[in-house]
Amino acid sequence: MTTLRKSVLITFLSSNGATVISFATILVLSRLLTPAEVGIFSMTVAMVAFAHTFREFGISGYIQQEKDLTDEKLRAATGVMVASSLAMGGVLFIASGWLADYFKQPGIRPVMQVLAVGFVFIPLGAITNALLSRELRAREQALASIAGVLTYNVSVLVLAYAGFSYMSMAWANLLNIIVSGISLSFFRPPGKPWMPSLRGWRGVVRFGGGSIIGSVVTSINNALPDLMLGKMGSARDVGLLSRANATAGIFMQVAGPAVNYAVVPFMSRKHHAGDELHTPLAQACSYLTVLSWPPLLVTALFARDIVVMLYGWQWVDSAPVVAALCLLTAVALAFNFHQWTLIAIGRPYLAIIPNGFLLLARVATILMVYDGSLGSFAWGLAWAGVLSIPLNMYLQSTVFGLTLRRFLSALFPTTLVTLVCAVAAAILHVTLPADWHPAARLSVLAVTMSAVWFVALFLVRHPVVAELEKIALKAPRLHGALGRFWIKT
């Protein structure tokens, strides 16, 4: 458990460093590129992400959860990944022209072709990264990630400033893949074979075939908004939606890598040991929601300030749809660990049930409520997420043993903390002068809401306080201060 906490902490710190760098890049890039240019890249990435599902083929999950990972099995996994990567990269390259014509966006073709070339280099680092995750070697992964992040952010700004438009993001992405792969190769666990082989491929494909069904549906779900909006609306709308999504997803950009880092190996060990999964799953859900729901609430209320501060005034039209996407994100985070846990227990195919329902619900709600405005499109996505809640509850009850009563019990303290934060945020929204610069309003907001959230944790006696105390034990003065605060509250 100590190794797990250390790995998660390292991942959290490194991902936060990457996030700070990325935010700085976004601040500049959003002033160099227009919403339409970003929209073209976003539409292309949505389609490429779908191809990544077939390219990955569940191989990373296979390597992390396989109880006895022999050299032969590792070679087979490498062989399958190389074959799938080359195949999907070729398909994307060939189909790029047709897809550009279908969406009536010529820019899709060159962007997709550059991204397709990246598939050739992905296996270089993907296998090693999965091995490092299996061994919880977060430090090495963090170093490789930093190299890739720096490469991407520097190159994308240089290229955008030089006038490469949406192609700046495509070329920067390719450079990131290459540098990350080379960096990871230096940290490959000793004695692990490099050469791919197709001997024993059936075991890899059997696992991948089970996981890929759910992953495909998930990928379609993720790509659907950009592709439907690109076809029904415009590239500018897609660009605005991407920035609204980024605003609603700030928390997962900051904490996501750390949150999801060790789910598969941790749950896999619990499962192989015959332990019940509902307890750690409920605890993880409680921790994640108390960390994410209050910030999402604040983001929804102060979306205009955040958007203008981060991206500039040319993106202000994305602010009204942030609230809908925050609701969608809040629902998704309540069930964030489902797919990872299904992989851990060797039943990834079950993810197709909730993801398939969400896909159908999205299509139905968008077609029902979309009136040509970006806001109606975003609320169509949000209501589809709400409709998926009962099915997700049923799945976690029947598969993981996390019954409705246990689930609501885990969420109750989080709900109380969120309500306290909601009252404070609403008061600030009304009282902070509207003519203040967004930076000033957000500064007051950040300080005040951080204090309110922290106090609410102790007032409610949220379970996450126990984790804070374990961290504080390593700093005696902090532990003493927390102890005095606990007594007072």
Side-chain angles (χ1 to χ4, degrees), residues 2 22 32 38 96 123 137 149 203 220 228 230 234 262 281 283 296 307 380 393 397 432 474:
T2 301
S22 298
L32 294 174
V38 173
S96 59
R137 292 174 60 183
V149 167
I220 296 175
M228 285 190 70
S234 65
L281 193 60
Q283 186 179 47
L296 284 170
V307 167
M393 287 183 173
S397 177
L432 285 177
K474 298 182 181 298

Side-chain angles (χ1 to χ4, degrees), residues 35 37-38 45 66 110 122 166 173 190 209 239 243 283 289 337 374 420 428 446:
E37 289 173 316
V38 173
V45 167
E66 178 61 30
I122 285 175
Y166 43 77
N173 184 76
R243 283 295 179 258
Q283 186 179 47
T289 52
F337 299 106
L374 186 58
V420 172
L428 286 174

Side-chain angles (χ1 to χ4, degrees), residues 192-252:
K192 297 298 182 183
W194 282 91
M195 290 300 295
S197 171
L198 291 179
R199 178 178 297 178
W201 61 270
R202 287 183 177 83
V204 180
V205 171
R206 190 178 303 114
F207 179 89
S211 66
I212 200 171
I213 300 174
S215 297
V216 165
V217 178
T218 299
S219 295
I220 296 175
N221 263 323
N222 294 334
L224 185 70
D226 286 345
L227 299 183
M228 285 190 70
L229 188 57
K231 188 64 177 175
M232 300 165 67
S234 65
R236 181 178 184 274
D237 285 342
V238 176
L240 292 173
L241 182 68
S242 72
R243 283 295 179 258
N245 259 321
T247 305
I250 287 176
F251 171 80
M252 285 307 288

